[in-house]
Amino acid sequence: QPVSDVKPLPDYAKWKDANSLIVHSANTIETQRGAVGSSVITPLNRLFIRNNVSPPPAGITDNPDAWQINIEGVRKPHTFTLAQLKDMGLQALPMVLQCSGNGRAYFPHKPGGTQWTVGAAGCVIFTGVPIATLVEALGGVQDGMVYMTGTGGEEIPAGLDPNSVRVERSVPLEAMKDAILAWEVNGEPLPLAHGGPLRLIVPGYTGVNNVKYVKQLAFTKAQSPASIQQNSYRFSAVGEKGGPQHESIWEMPPKSWITSPSSPDTSLKAGPVVIGGVAMGGMDSPSKIEVSIDGGKSWQEARFVGPDLGKYAWRQFAFTADLKPGRYNLASRTTNAAGQTQPAERAENNRGYNNNSWQDHMVEINVTS
Ligand code: MSS
């Protein structure tokens, strides 16, 4: 990006590594394609940030153990402090956190919203208490509940949403199975930027469903009335406004992209070139990864580089190609353990959600003698 476009990091994210990031705005910060590294886990100082409204005051993370959360819609509703949650159970969850709008920049109809390329995603380890454990301790979910609804801790500025003062998301009840309430990420107390002191984590589901600064977890009959649930994050046709009649953005599809070489203007010398990237499987492990150097005409199987940290994590891959001088279109395509393969075409939709097209994510390189 030209130097004049470089925006400063906002105060709450000053500790991040500016050289690895693209700052779209104070609340939308993307990881550069080449800054992912090859160690499975994304360092926190390079992890993307997305806030729909400004985060709450930094002071809320000063005394994390005193943070309170209400659990509703169970037989014995209860308010816990974070200190109490810490004694109820412990689960570490390596997983991809990815914004619903990651890859929006590649939609030809130019949807409004942050023009994320590949970097509104990272793979991190959240640690917290399994929600299933809490629910069991509280006598189970009340009869007739179909959704799990998380309520965020910041206030939506007046006038933005007539139906809610809080960021609220509902997911199908079945998502509870592997979900946790997390207070730690990559071994550190959860920072404000990523939802500290406490965050709802729903692995396999897009970023927005992972409610930060969570102050209430409710099992509900209906989805939250908040606009972020009813109107945005829905699959509507291009040109059509989203509404409750459209499918909500929940589960992530399989996806991969090349992270090195990372940019179209990378100039490479002929000879062996290691092509690297990341592959995620969505709701199942990535089980196969292929690379193409001819824009998808032919494919060859690449190998996974790092360990398998479970079905919700991504895996780095590598493929060594012996390249003669010329121009190449590099692409990658993953298949998950359920047999779903990343498609060539994106699923068109008005707001530019869930882009997992391998075509859209190609990198064109120039190899010289
Ligand atoms: N939460 C809250 N509370 N608020 C807000 O704003 N956002 C979303 C999630 N959660 C929010 C929440 C989104 S949208 C996303 S992506 C995520 O978050 C991000 O994360 P990080 O940590 O990275 O920042 Mo899209 O689908």
Side-chain angles (χ1 to χ4, degrees), residues 1 4 13 19 86 165 167 184 196-197 205 208-209 236 267 325-326 334 341:
Q1 62 203 122
S4 59
N19 294 325
K86 285 180 175 171
V165 288
V167 170
E184 196 178 290
Y205 281 54
V208 70
N209 301 293
S236 57
S267 258
T334 192
T341 298

Side-chain angles (χ1 to χ4, degrees), residues 72-196:
E72 304 285 344
V74 285
R75 295 222 166 72
K76 294 179 271 176
H78 193 76
T79 301
F80 290 104
T81 62
L82 175 43
Q84 290 169 324
L85 292 182
K86 285 180 175 171
D87 284 330
M88 295 193 67
L90 196 61
Q91 178 66 46
L93 197 54
M95 53 161 261
V96 174
L97 180 68
Q98 178 180 225
C99 183
S100 315
N102 198 26
R104 177 180 288 133
Y106 308 124
F107 281 82
H109 71 284
K110 297 277 167 258
T114 307
Q115 297 304 299
W116 306 110
T117 60
V118 298
C123 185
V124 291
I125 305 179
F126 284 107
T127 306
V129 60
I131 289 172
T133 307
L134 287 182
V135 166
E136 207 190 299
L138 300 178
V141 172
Q142 278 174 25
D143 291 339
M145 301 308 181
V146 236
Y147 297 101
M148 177 169 79
T149 300
T151 306
E154 75 273 57
E155 235 171 80
I156 299 182
L160 276 186
D161 184 350
N163 296 319
S164 181
V165 288
R166 301 284 178 191
V167 170
E168 236 173 41
R169 285 289 297 175
S170 304
V171 294
L173 191 58
E174 71 204 38
M176 178 181 98
K177 184 169 56 77
D178 290 336
I180 64 173
L181 289 175
W183 52 82
E184 196 178 290
V185 62
N186 291 1
E188 294 177 37
L190 201 54
L192 182 80
H194 298 296

